[in-house]
């Protein structure tokens, strides 16, 4: 199935992999944030946080981008504008409403009209007024559980937090003890875990920060 999907998408100028997170605002991972249409995409979909870079564990959008970069490397005299590849995360699993879905669809249509995939039909829709936090993968704070138990969130998606500020607590249901989980950097919480039962090391919230942070190796969403 992965091979079939890659064959269908690898020669596309735009690869948009649409998902929804657990509990989140609208956000995006953009493999190539320097692409001329990357900021346009964020504005059209109303992305609260757009994170640029290729993950350590290669995902589908990045796999679609790499052949374009290989072409630029092996054909240095040929002008190539590489594909824009991105993962779009449309809020959380409980955020489905007709009016929200219509707005999201209009945002994608806005983008496709702006890059001439679709011909505008009538007056163009205005772009989102949401201010996007643009950052990179090494600036994301993955807040991980320090103990097993039940996670109780102190802050929700879309909230600005600062270093040392509490994001959640882990409650031990047997003893009643609580372990505080705090932000390492300053930024916007753009999502958190749906399940509230956690084990040590699991990521319970993710924050788009404005400075580089030390990252643990491997998948941030184990």
């Amino acid at each position: 199935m992965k091979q079939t999907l890659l064959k269908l998408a690898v020669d596309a100028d735009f690869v948009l992999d649409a998902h929804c997170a657990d509990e989140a605002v609208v956000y995006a991972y953009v493999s190539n944030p320097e692409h001329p249409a990357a900021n346009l995409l964020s504005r059209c979909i109303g992305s609260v946080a757009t994170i640029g870079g290729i993950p350590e564990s290669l995902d589908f959008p990045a796999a679609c981008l790499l052949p374009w970069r290989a072409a630029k490397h092996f054909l240095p005299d040929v002008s190539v504008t590489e594909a824009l590849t991105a993962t779009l995360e449309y809020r959380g699993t409980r955020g489905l409403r007709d009016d929200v879905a219509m707005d999201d669809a209009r945002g994608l249509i806005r983008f496709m009209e702006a890059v001439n995939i679709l011909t505008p039909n009538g007056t163009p829709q205005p772009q989102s007024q949401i201010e996007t936090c643009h950052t990179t993968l090494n600036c994301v704070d993955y807040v991980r559980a320090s103990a097993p138990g039940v996670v109780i969130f102190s802050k929700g998606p879309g909230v600005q937090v600062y270093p040392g500020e509490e994001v959640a607590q882990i409650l031990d249901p047997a003893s009643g003890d609580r372990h505080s989980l705090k932000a390492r950097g300053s930024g916007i919480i753009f999502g958190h875990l749906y399940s509230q039962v956690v084990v040590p090391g699991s990521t319970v919230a993710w924050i788009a920060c404005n400075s580089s942070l030390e990252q643990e190796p491997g998948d941030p969403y184990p």
Side-chain angles (χ1 to χ4, degrees), residues 55 66 114 146 166 174-175:
L66 293 182
S146 57
E166 184 177 88
S175 66

Side-chain angles (χ1 to χ4, degrees), residues 4-222:
T4 300
L5 288 172
L6 191 59
K7 288 178 181 178
L8 290 169
V10 73
D11 62 346
D13 293 307
F14 301 95
V15 177
L16 305 180
D17 192 10
H19 294 260
C20 74
D22 285 3
E23 294 292 327
V25 293
V26 176
Y27 66 95
Y29 286 104
V30 180
S31 300
N32 44 344
E34 302 304 318
H35 189 284
N39 289 342
L40 174 66
L41 176 64
S42 294
R43 295 197 303 272
C44 286
I45 68 170
S47 176
V48 175
T50 296
I51 300 97
I54 295 178
E56 181 182 327
S57 53
L58 197 65
D59 60 8
F60 176 70
C64 292
L65 170 66
L66 293 182
W68 290 78
R69 295 202 167 166
K72 291 173 69 174
H73 175 75
F74 288 107
L75 302 170
D77 298 328
V78 177
S79 177
V80 177
T81 299
E82 65 186 27
L84 173 63
T85 65
T87 298
L88 312 182
E89 298 283 1
Y90 282 104
R91 301 174 198 84
T93 54
R94 293 187 292 188
L96 182 61
R97 299 204 316 265
D98 284 340
D99 57 334
V100 173
M102 288 293 291
D103 285 343
D104 290 340
R106 291 189 186 101
L108 278 177
I109 291 170
R110 256 195 314 269
F111 175 74
M112 289 189 281
E113 290 177 344
V115 296
N116 298 315
I117 295 173
L118 295 177
T119 301
N121 183 16
T123 304
Q125 295 293 320
Q127 294 180 7
S128 170
Q129 298 302 305
I130 291 175
E131 184 176 347
T132 303
C133 170
H134 292 276
T135 190
T136 54
L137 287 170
N138 64 330
C139 296
V140 175
D141 183 4
Y142 298 101
V143 181
R144 299 178 188 261
S146 57
V150 178
V151 61
I152 301 171
F153 291 102
S154 310
K155 302 284 191 301
V159 174
Q160 170 79 43
V161 292
Y162 300 94
E165 190 169 354
E166 184 177 88
V167 174
Q169 295 181 352
I170 304 295
L171 169 65
D172 182 337
S175 66
D177 293 340
R178 292 179 180 240
H179 303 268
S180 180
L181 304 180
K182 298 179 180 180
R184 293 188 292 149
S186 174
I188 302 288
I189 299 174
F190 61 96
H192 64 55
L193 191 66
Y194 177 80
S195 171
Q196 293 192 248
V197 178
V198 297
V199 296
S202 58
T203 298
V204 301
W206 30 105
I207 306 170
C209 298
N210 51 24
S211 59
S212 179
L213 299 166
E214 183 178 353
Q215 301 291 336
E216 293 186 25
D219 186 357
Y221 303 107

